[in-house]
Amino acid sequence: MIRQVWPSGRDLGDEDLEQLYRYPDGRRWVAVNFVSSTDGAIAVEGRSAALSTPADRIVYRLGNDLADVVLVGAGTAMAEGFEGMRPDERTAARRRRFGLAPIAPVAVVTTGRSLPPDAPVITKASVPTLVFTGSTAPSALRDAWTANGARVFVAGEAEVSAERVVETLAAEGLGRIDCEGGPRLFGSLIEAGVVDEFRLTVAPFLVAGTASRAAVGGVVDPAELELASVLTDGASVLLRYLTPR
């Protein structure tokens, strides 16, 4: 059982969680999801799966079940073995109730170096994957992504513009955006000022080592966030923060 401890104390059922984690109607919304250990690690041996807990998996699923599109960096897509969304009956029913397309596409951000043409996120996806890259990515590579079924968008030069990625997704009718990492993509979204919500699961583990933090990139002035909710299942702590507008 997941219990909300702030702003009010109460047990939450499935419908309560859906309302808490749904995306606002009628506007673009970028929600970023991460799980970390209590000492700040976001991965064990390069993957987040070892840190995920039952409560984290519930809110992670809500993030992509209720989104128009799942946004991910190419490095994360490859490391985590992304193959696109494959809704089961529960997810399909949830998406119907919220008026969403049957399957959310995946949008991958890459400079070109970390996304091979035969990446599973392209070749095994049930609906076409959107690939965002820069104009310096080799044209042969862009053609190969397209030949394997991806829709390719140029959104920058040597680096991909996070702002242009978000603007393009919204223009495509994919304004409810669930970002699932990695750190460099999250950092670029912070720098562009387009993050609306940060969803963080603090899992009950200590990891130490040299694991990365949730966001890396250029230095920005610290942006104060508004705490929206605190949930727990008695082990993990599930936090939602909003960016003041």
Side-chain angles (χ1 to χ4, degrees):
M1 174 65 69
I2 292 180
R3 182 170 179 80
Q4 180 172 288
V5 297
W6 194 89
S8 61
R10 61 192 180 108
D11 293 336
L12 302 180
D14 288 346
E15 291 184 6
D16 298 314
L17 289 167
E18 286 178 347
Q19 292 305 313
L20 196 63
Y21 282 86
R22 70 179 298 174
Y23 298 74
D25 293 328
R27 62 168 295 185
R28 188 189 78 192
W29 193 264
V30 178
V32 180
N33 289 273
F34 269 90
V35 59
S36 84
S37 65
T38 56
D39 59 338
I42 62 163
V44 176
E45 296 182 349
R47 300 190 65 181
S48 62
L51 296 173
S52 186
T53 63
D56 176 62
R57 288 189 284 275
I58 289 172
V59 298
Y60 172 86
R61 179 171 181 165
L62 283 165
N64 51 58
D65 279 2
L66 299 176
D68 291 317
V69 61
V70 176
L71 177 63
V72 65
T76 296
M78 296 301 294
E80 300 286 351
F82 270 54
E83 295 183 357
M85 301 297 107
R86 287 181 173 77
D88 58 17
E89 291 183 8
R90 184 178 182 184
T91 291
R94 175 178 280 162
R95 293 185 67 81
R96 283 195 299 269
R97 282 192 286 106
F98 280 84
L100 298 165
I103 301 174
V106 175
V108 183
V109 176
T110 180
T111 58
R113 294 185 295 271
S114 54
L115 189 70
D118 60 351
V121 71
I122 294 175
T123 60
K124 295 187 178 181
S126 299
V127 295
T129 294
L130 290 71
V131 175
F132 288 89
T133 193
S135 59
T136 59
S139 58
L141 180 58
R142 284 184 266 159
D143 290 344
W145 289 329
T146 300
N148 282 339
R151 298 179 61 201
V152 179
F153 299 83
V154 174
E157 297 178 358
E159 299 295 330
V160 180
S161 165
E163 184 174 16
R164 286 176 62 182
V165 170
V166 170
E167 288 175 349
T168 302
L169 289 174
E172 290 283 320
L174 305 172
R176 288 166 285 203
I177 302 169
D178 172 38
C179 177
E180 298 185 356
R184 292 198 178 278
L185 176 57
F186 187 18
S188 69
L189 294 169
I190 293 172
E191 289 182 70
V194 296
V195 176
D196 297 291
E197 182 177 352
F198 180 38
R199 301 170 176 177
L200 175 65
T201 297
V202 181
F205 305 111
L206 293 173
V207 174
T210 59
S212 177
R213 56 186 292 177
V216 298
V219 177
V220 300
D221 290 335
E224 186 173 357
L225 303 176
E226 296 176 353
L227 183 63
S229 66
V230 181
L231 314 181
T232 184
D233 65 347
S236 302
V237 179
L238 314 171
L239 304 168
R240 290 176 53 247
Y241 287 98
L242 303 181
T243 303
R245 296 298 185 195

